[in-house]
Amino acid sequence: MDARRAAELAARNSYGRLVAYLAAQTRDVAAAEDALGDAFLTALNTWPDQGVPTKPEAWLLVTARRKLIDTARRSQTQERVLNTLKTSDVGSSPALDSESASFPDDRLKLLFICAHPAIDGAMHTPLMLQTVLGLNAAQIASAFLVAPATMGQRLVRAKAKIRDAAIAFELPDPQDLPTRLAAVLEAVYATYAHAWETVDGADPRHRGFAEEAIWLARLCVQLMPQAAEARGLLALMLYCEARRETRRDADGRYVPLDQQDTQRWSQPMIAEAEHELAQAATFNPLGRFQLEAAIQSIHAQRAITRQVNWQALALLYEGLIQLAPTLGALVSQAAAIAAACGPATSLQSLEKIPPDAVKNYQPYWALKAHLLHQLDQPAAAKEAYQRAIGLSEDAAIREFLLGRALSVQGNSASE
């Protein structure tokens, strides 16, 4: 295998595990990240000549561990770190280390550590996204609508807090788990959303993020089987993942949900999602992720009934908005209303959203354009489509919206 490709695969598949393990050893997240970054750089410099090791992740772990030891020796102030690393169970023989070292999966532990109450609550999710999932400061800043430099500074301070406050690298006591779970679930969901937003398939790392998020949700369910929202989140992601392959046609074009081939949806994933949602319903309290999963369940039923219960969807969105009045929920409710009550009623609902909130929100403009087209307002529809196209970062979605905008022009010209 090509050395660079092998390093990319290792980064995608094991970055979180490696950082979590090294941070658990040193109790210094930033130092663990720096050492692992150096290890990846060393791999890119040495693997082309020496060949890719049999177990690249183990090689990276051992190399990063040695760099941490070297740094601690030079520092003279990290006696505890040096002693911990010297006595760690990674192994001592270089040959053994490179080929057969094993290490536990500490990602869930690190997620709960990042949600420690001593850390600014606003930084819980960003910190998890970087340390456990490997997103960079610019990607996280974009999601949270702040400048990359500002987000970078905040992340540095949060990691320093973990180190300086000597926060224990272990799962909290059972009675403290629920207070941290919400932040952990938000980070897992943000990871999946990051993967879901790209439909053109250009970057294989997005599939890795989706798989990582689902795996972490499973770990949360295993840790807290009576946590309704953990099961709700797992169900939500499984419903969505079940139809991933149908979001593009054979030529790579974007296919909206109502036009997807339901026969290609993964029925085993849907069945598992239904089970998790049913299990969640036996526990309290009812939460956002359960409602979002219930919404996806109604869409999934189209594979059996060949239709969608839009009235039920609108009611579920109304409940979701009571718990989490996000822009996504408000716009999605308007879309459900359009199918249930018609475009005029939907447009009235859509226009109740404050203009400042949606000026850069692409789904709002895409839906508004569609409604205006249905209401025979081609000039306004064209303008809204242009706005939506300009706000679309995904090439497949831009092409889809451009096609719809051209159809508006064509219909207008024929009239």
Side-chain angles (χ1 to χ4, degrees):
M1 181 185 296
D2 174 76
R4 180 171 292 278
R5 173 64 173 162
E8 289 176 351
L9 283 173
R12 186 167 79 241
N13 297 331
S14 300
Y15 179 87
R17 292 182 63 204
L18 292 164
V19 168
Y21 178 82
L22 291 166
Q25 295 289 307
T26 63
R27 301 194 180 191
D28 189 335
V29 176
E33 290 177 326
D34 289 344
L36 185 57
D38 287 344
F40 274 109
L41 183 60
T42 301
L44 292 173
N45 290 332
T46 61
W47 288 1
D49 295 329
Q50 299 178 6
V52 178
T54 304
K55 293 188 176 182
E57 291 83 0
W59 188 98
L60 290 164
L61 172 64
V62 172
T63 302
R65 176 176 170 270
R66 288 171 180 159
K67 291 182 181 298
L68 282 168
I69 290 175
D70 290 343
T71 300
R73 282 173 174 157
R74 289 194 299 270
S75 172
Q76 297 299 316
T77 63
Q78 301 188 39
E79 190 69 25
R80 175 184 58 78
V81 173
L82 183 57
N83 290 335
T84 299
L85 290 167
K86 282 181 176 179
T87 58
S88 71
D89 58 358
V90 175
S92 56
S93 166
L96 178 65
D97 282 348
S98 298
E99 300 300 329
S100 61
S102 62
F103 51 97
D105 191 337
D106 285 327
R107 286 174 295 178
L108 190 63
K109 182 189 297 184
L110 186 52
L111 284 174
F112 277 93
I113 290 165
C114 291
H116 193 282
I119 299 170
D120 179 8
M123 290 306 300
H124 286 167
T125 295
L127 187 58
M128 294 177 207
L129 291 175
Q130 186 176 69
T131 60
V132 181
L133 300 156
L135 300 187
N136 60 44
Q139 291 170 316
I140 299 168
S142 176
F144 286 84
L145 303 179
V146 299
T150 300
M151 179 58 71
Q153 292 169 356
R154 292 175 182 174
L155 288 164
V156 168
R157 288 196 295 269
K159 293 170 193 175
K161 182 70 174 181
I162 292 175
R163 181 195 63 217
D164 298 340
I167 293 174
F169 268 72
E170 58 190 23
L171 286 172
D173 294 332
Q175 66 270 21
D176 295 328
L177 283 172
T179 60
R180 302 194 199 181
L181 179 64
V184 171
L185 296 182
E186 285 293 340
V188 173
Y189 182 57
T191 302
Y192 188 82
H194 181 75
W196 184 255
E197 287 171 359
T198 299
V199 299
D200 61 10
D203 190 343
R205 288 177 297 179
H206 288 90
R207 174 60 66 86
F209 285 138
E211 294 171 349
E212 184 97 339
I214 291 173
W215 173 246
L216 290 170
R218 293 189 193 281
L219 292 180
C220 288
V221 171
Q222 292 174 15
L223 179 66
M224 304 176 67
Q226 295 185 339
E229 277 292 80
R231 290 186 181 273
L233 176 58
L234 177 56
L236 169 61
M237 293 189 295
L238 288 170
Y239 281 124
C240 294
E241 198 66 13
R243 60 175 192 266
R244 175 179 290 276
E245 299 303 324
T246 63
R247 299 180 76 208
R248 291 179 290 141
D249 64 15
D251 296 320
R253 292 186 292 261
Y254 171 66
V255 182
L257 176 57
D258 62 352
Q259 296 177 26
Q260 290 173 10
D261 181 1
T262 61
Q263 298 305 306
R264 293 178 56 207
W265 289 353
S266 171
Q267 291 305 315
M269 278 192 182
I270 291 175
E272 184 183 359
E274 294 284 344
H275 172 75
E276 291 297 337
L277 184 57
Q279 288 292 106
T282 64
F283 304 113
N284 289 317
L286 175 66
R288 166 196 176 188
F289 294 126
Q290 295 164 75
L291 283 171
E292 292 200 36
I295 288 167
Q296 295 304 322
S297 177
I298 289 180
H299 283 298
Q301 289 303 308
R302 184 164 67 87
I304 301 171
T305 64
R306 302 292 186 267
Q307 59 185 0
V308 176
N309 188 336
W310 293 105
Q311 288 83 1
L313 271 181
L315 285 173
L316 283 171
Y317 274 117
E318 184 176 339
L320 177 60
I321 289 168
Q322 296 299 317
L323 291 177
T326 64
L327 279 179
L330 291 166
V331 172
S332 295
Q333 183 193 37
I337 291 173
C341 306
T345 304
S346 175
L347 188 59
Q348 291 175 0
S349 176
L350 200 64
E351 290 182 340
K352 291 179 182 178
I353 305 174
D356 287 346
V358 296
K359 62 181 181 181
N360 294 318
Y361 190 60
Q362 184 268 356
Y364 171 90
W365 293 102
L367 176 59
K368 187 171 184 178
H370 178 63
L371 296 175
L372 290 168
H373 185 198
Q374 288 185 310
L375 292 169
D376 196 24
Q377 299 182 40
K382 178 182 176 182
E383 182 180 350
Y385 270 127
Q386 289 175 340
R387 187 78 172 265
I389 291 167
L391 291 170
S392 298
E393 297 182 359
D394 189 282
I397 293 178
R398 278 199 306 273
E399 183 179 352
F400 171 79
L401 291 173
L402 181 59
R404 288 204 163 180
L406 291 174
S407 72
V408 172
Q409 292 177 348
N411 290 343
S412 178
S414 65
E415 294 171 0

